[in-house]
Amino acid sequence: MTAESAVPQLEAEQATEVCTDHGEGPVWNAETGQLHWVDMLAGELLTMAPGGVIARTKLGTVAAVARPMVGGGLVLALERGFALLRPGRQTPESLPPLWNDPSVRMNDGGCDALGRFYAGSMAYDETPGRGTLWRLDGALRAVAVLDGVTISNGLVWTPDGTTAYYVDTPTGRVDRFDVDERDGEPRNRRPAVHVPPEVGYPDGMTLDAEGCLWVALWQGGAVHRYAPDGRLLCRVRIPTPLVTACAFGGPDLATLYVTTSRQGNEDPDDEVAGALFRVTPGVRGVPTHPFRPEEAPWPRN
């Protein structure tokens, strides 16, 4: 009996029709009551309003990740840097690009408890070590905080902001950082979860209210729930292999939403790759940290 078969198993249900080529980065926007996610390499933001109606917003060549912003709107990572999307607008306002190399793009990210936005880059061809983890602060200044990354993926902070979890997918790990409460700097990186390659590769992730990690497994057709000490607690089956990310949503944060991809899926009979899935696992999520600009770059309506 494998470790995966010995833990509780849940089945996710399909929540939307196939709507992305490479779905990524789901996040619940508590202010608007909407779920956002991206069709990353199509450069599109998807927004699902109550009732299941999906709106699409073209952001650019790449829409890597979006997170809610204090005062309304979204902070974004696009192909080569950061941008802001004002409430009610369809066109993002891009900040200066962080690099000019067309072979490198942004990937996943998230906000820390101090309201700063992190997003990591990667080479299109996945060359090892060419990525960087970047941080955008409230004054809209960007700095590099971690070099030598290959495929920068899941990044979440505990509600109190004292611990961060991070995935560089080819390592097969989720790493833990201690976070200084005074300056928010991540330190003392060490492994928290080891994911055996035979069950997939860690991708996007989220935290629940009990402090456990939910990790999407690329090529694994599943989301795993891990205790902070790395023990596997639960497995959610997804009926397509390329599982990319997950996030709790709904007014009570009781639904786990899961994004999937069609890119590289060689199964001609897979008719659900690229859809959004959901499951109610019996534990709730925690609110997402929003981006906090020092001065709101627009008046509230």
Side-chain angles (χ1 to χ4, degrees), residues 16 117 162 168-169 206 226:
T16 69
F117 182 46
T162 61
D168 183 0
T169 292
T206 192
Y226 292 98

Side-chain angles (χ1 to χ4, degrees), residues 9-21:
Q9 309 277 319
L10 300 174
E11 300 286 343
E13 65 175 2
Q14 191 172 341
T16 69
E17 62 184 4
V18 173
C19 56
T20 60
D21 190 50

Side-chain angles (χ1 to χ4, degrees), residues 9-60:
Q9 309 277 319
L10 300 174
E11 300 286 343
E13 65 175 2
Q14 191 172 341
T16 69
E17 62 184 4
V18 173
C19 56
T20 60
D21 190 50
H22 186 65
E24 268 281 9
V27 64
W28 179 254
N29 190 330
E31 183 170 328
T32 63
Q34 298 173 327
L35 184 79
H36 303 293
W37 69 108
V38 297
D39 193 352
M40 184 179 285
L41 299 182
E44 294 187 335
L45 172 74
L46 284 75
T47 300
M48 187 166 68
V53 177
I54 298 175
R56 306 180 76 100
T57 304
K58 181 70 173 179
L59 299 178

Side-chain angles (χ1 to χ4, degrees), residues 95-164:
L95 301 179
L98 299 175
W99 64 87
N100 295 316
D101 185 345
S103 68
V104 175
R105 64 168 174 85
M106 281 291 200
N107 205 43
D108 202 1
C111 291
D112 68 11
L114 297 179
R116 302 174 301 178
F117 182 46
Y118 290 68
S121 64
M122 60 174 285
Y124 275 99
D125 65 3
E126 302 180 7
T127 299
R130 293 196 60 210
T132 300
L133 182 63
W134 295 87
R135 181 176 67 216
L136 182 72
D137 68 15
L140 306 185
R141 299 171 301 206
V143 297
V145 296
L146 184 64
D147 294 320
V149 173
T150 300
I151 303 178
S152 189
N153 258 312
L155 183 58
V156 294
W157 283 259
T158 54
D160 65 6
T162 61
T163 301

Side-chain angles (χ1 to χ4, degrees), residues 142-274:
V143 297
V145 296
L146 184 64
D147 294 320
V149 173
T150 300
I151 303 178
S152 189
N153 258 312
L155 183 58
V156 294
W157 283 259
T158 54
D160 65 6
T162 61
T163 301
Y165 294 97
Y166 177 63
V167 169
D168 183 0
T169 292
T171 67
R173 302 190 314 263
V174 179
D175 287 343
R176 178 190 287 115
F177 289 86
D178 297 325
V179 180
D180 191 294
E181 294 182 79
R182 297 163 298 177
D183 60 15
E185 291 300 316
R187 298 181 174 90
N188 190 25
R189 181 180 182 178
R190 70 270 193 200
V193 174
H194 292 272
V195 179
E198 61 268 22
V199 304
Y201 297 90
D203 202 319
M205 61 182 172
T206 192
L207 276 167
D208 66 31
E210 296 178 359
C212 296
L213 286 161
W214 296 78
V215 183
L217 298 181
W218 179 259
Q219 297 183 3
V223 176
H224 279 184
R225 184 190 189 214
Y226 292 98
D229 63 7
R231 288 178 296 118
L232 177 61
L233 301 177
C234 177
R235 176 180 173 87
V236 179
R237 295 193 190 98
I238 312 296
T240 187
L242 303 183
V243 182
T244 55
C246 54
F248 283 94
D252 54 2
L253 298 179
T255 301
L256 185 72
Y257 290 98
V258 183
T259 51
T260 64
S261 177
R262 291 187 288 175
Q263 288 200 338
N265 188 333
E266 299 178 353
D267 182 356
D269 298 321
D270 188 342
E271 298 180 349
V272 298

